[in-house]
Amino acid sequence: MTVTPQQPGASQDATGIVRAQVPALILGIVGLIACGIGWVLDAREFYRAWLPSYIFWFEIVAGSLAVLMLQYVTGGEWGVMIRRPLGAAARTIPLFLVLGVPIAIGLPHVYSWAAPEAAGDHLLHAKHAYLNVPFWIGRAIFYFAVWTFLAWRIRVLSLRFYEDRSPDTELSRRKWSAAGLLIIVLTLTFASIDWIMSLEPKWYSSMFGISFTVGCGLSAFAYVTFLLTQLARTKAMAGILRPSHLRDLGNLMLAFTMLWAYTAFSQFLLIWYANLKEEVPYYLKRQHGVWGVMAAALVIFHFFLPFFMLLMREIKDRPNTIAVVTVILLAMRYVEIYWLIAPAHFGEQFYFSWMSLAALVGIAGVWFWFFVQQLKGQTIVPIHETWVEEAIREGRLQVNA
């Protein structure tokens, strides 16, 4: 079976995803306007509400770039159906540099080390060489420059491969992707320290960076798999999407779910066993009241439930059932991010502002508009890529069954 750009249903226009673009943008603008009102009413609360939503959507974008490079390095059929969505999401990274401006402006309201009173704290003063506003902003700009460059370079090589089908171009793309994987793991590790772990600058964990990076990959897999399930009944994917594609993605989500659980539990176990006064309070305030309920929810719904559901082939093979798993995982990704960030501001007392919801919706709507913009003018299936023929040649998927 050969898919050509002119084949009916091959383009993203046949999916109907473009029709959702304008409503998403309107919803996003409404959310951002609500955030603006919240900023006028209480700027400090706005800055603190913005960060969790920002990190949640950023994880999907950064994870998409990492997974895209992983696919180019390893090859295989598992990533053929998600290359275009991954690439489109990765190319929206510059948007998050703009969306991060409120955090940079509100640093003293969000990070204790940036507040004026931090000057009198001896321990924070000792970390001032790293935790200071100009250096923090400079590092953030550097991270985004690196990620944007990697996304741009992979895109240029993909377009070149579309034109020349040269093995040298394919090899160059793999080399860039291999180097990029190492770079993005390192930069995401430092970004997680700067943006989340430094919220409580007297606490530290050597496992935090890898746990955050794994969470980015899991978020990306969950999002693109959910998107694929929504396209399953459209003309664009008719006769192309098969149960094996969803099964492969389900297996990868299972692997990342287990890896997330391993890193998160290892961090908790080491801190609990060491029982050091500098480390233990981090978890103590996250084990009481609503925070404790959220911690239990993460254990059940972020690990055990997805783990057992993704063990079942019947769930992974069907768009409707695997979509449920992706929604659970994405919801739990936000719960974990909020659980990591909010107690640094509110202590043991649970608090969730309407601004948090407004920020979540506002960023989502604007980002989705840019995401669809990057998908426009392309076929959903990368028809020129290696593995495409192998990925689509085995029969048709009866999505209505």
Side-chain angles (χ1 to χ4, degrees):
M1 176 182 178
T2 302
V3 181
T4 64
Q6 292 78 27
Q7 181 174 343
S11 74
Q12 50 82 32
D13 292 335
T15 66
I17 193 173
V18 175
R19 292 195 296 269
Q21 191 177 15
V22 173
L25 181 61
I26 294 173
L27 191 63
I29 292 174
V30 171
L32 294 182
I33 292 174
C35 288
I37 296 172
W39 177 79
V40 173
L41 296 175
D42 190 336
R44 185 183 188 187
E45 184 174 323
F46 160 74
Y47 293 128
R48 293 181 173 184
W50 185 263
L51 183 61
S53 298
Y54 175 85
I55 295 295
F56 171 75
W57 291 108
F58 169 80
E59 279 199 345
I60 294 175
V61 172
S64 293
L65 177 59
V67 173
L68 180 65
M69 292 189 292
L70 178 65
Q71 158 61 195
Y72 284 134
V73 170
T74 61
E77 299 178 21
W78 65 266
V80 171
M81 296 296 164
I82 60 174
R83 278 189 181 182
R84 287 282 163 75
L86 288 173
R91 291 192 297 276
T92 63
I93 283 177
L95 172 66
F96 281 82
L97 178 60
V98 178
L99 294 174
V101 170
I103 300 173
I105 295 174
L107 277 177
H109 299 287
V110 180
Y111 297 93
S112 59
W113 53 263
E117 52 269 23
D121 192 305
H122 176 72
L123 183 57
L124 294 184
H125 180 74
K127 297 183 177 183
H128 182 72
Y130 186 83
L131 292 179
N132 62 81
V133 174
F135 194 26
W136 187 96
I137 294 176
R139 289 195 302 272
I141 293 173
F142 172 75
Y143 302 149
F144 278 103
V146 170
W147 298 329
T148 301
F149 173 77
L150 289 174
W152 169 81
R153 186 59 183 164
I154 296 299
R155 176 63 171 166
V156 167
L157 291 173
S158 295
L159 292 174
R160 186 182 302 171
F161 183 71
Y162 177 78
E163 296 174 353
D164 60 23
R165 306 294 202 278
S166 170
D168 292 334
T169 304
E170 172 70 7
L171 180 60
S172 178
R173 186 171 60 180
R174 288 195 174 197
K175 288 181 177 179
W176 274 99
S177 296
L181 275 175
L182 176 60
I183 292 170
I184 198 169
V185 169
L186 289 174
T187 50
L188 283 177
T189 297
F190 280 97
S192 70
I193 294 171
D194 291 351
W195 300 350
I196 302 179
M197 196 165 77
S198 72
L199 287 166
E200 297 175 82
K202 298 180 182 181
W203 177 82
Y204 59 90
S205 168
S206 58
M207 293 289 292
F208 194 86
I210 188 62
S211 183
F212 177 82
T213 303
V214 170
C216 290
L218 181 57
S219 295
F221 271 119
Y223 175 77
V224 295
T225 303
F226 175 78
L227 181 67
L228 205 60
T229 63
Q230 302 311 297
L231 302 180
R233 293 184 174 86
T234 64
K235 294 180 181 179
M237 304 304 291
I240 298 175
L241 186 64
R242 303 199 315 271
S244 61
H245 297 137
L246 296 175
R247 189 184 315 141
D248 289 342
L249 293 173
N251 290 335
L252 286 164
M253 283 195 294
L254 175 62
F256 271 76
T257 298
M258 291 190 294
L259 186 56
W260 171 85
Y262 171 76
T263 56
F265 180 72
S266 296
Q267 177 177 276
F268 171 78
L269 181 64
L270 290 172
I271 291 176
W272 173 81
Y273 185 79
N275 197 29
L276 299 177
K277 65 178 181 179
E278 297 86 1
E279 299 178 353
V280 171
Y282 182 85
Y283 280 106
L284 288 179
K285 63 183 166 186
R286 288 169 170 82
Q287 292 178 353
H288 298 286
V290 178
W291 300 127
V293 174
M294 292 174 67
L298 287 171
V299 173
I300 298 171
F301 297 105
H302 200 315
F303 174 63
F304 280 109
L305 182 60
F307 174 77
F308 286 109
M309 292 182 74
L310 291 172
L311 286 176
M312 304 178 190
R313 182 169 177 172
E314 295 80 4
I315 290 178
K316 290 181 290 190
D317 285 1
R318 295 179 177 274
N320 288 341
T321 50
I322 197 172
V324 173
V325 182
T326 62
V327 170
I328 293 172
L329 284 172
L330 287 172
M332 288 298 104
R333 290 304 308 142
Y334 181 80
V335 170
E336 189 206 20
I337 291 167
Y338 197 81
W339 183 76
L340 290 173
I341 293 175
H345 298 140
F346 308 114
E348 295 184 6
Q349 183 65 41
F350 175 79
Y351 183 77
F352 185 83
S353 169
W354 63 268
M355 295 186 207
S356 298
L357 181 59
L360 187 66
V361 172
I363 295 175
V366 173
W367 174 75
F368 186 78
W369 188 89
F370 279 92
F371 170 72
V372 176
Q373 280 294 107
Q374 293 298 324
L375 278 178
K376 282 185 175 180
Q378 304 181 76
T379 54
I380 290 296
V381 179
I383 57 175
H384 62 287
E385 292 287 2
T386 310
W387 298 100
V388 170
E389 290 295 328
E390 291 83 352
I392 65 178
R393 67 186 176 187
E394 300 179 11
R396 293 174 173 269
L397 168 64
Q398 300 298 324
V399 294
N400 293 321

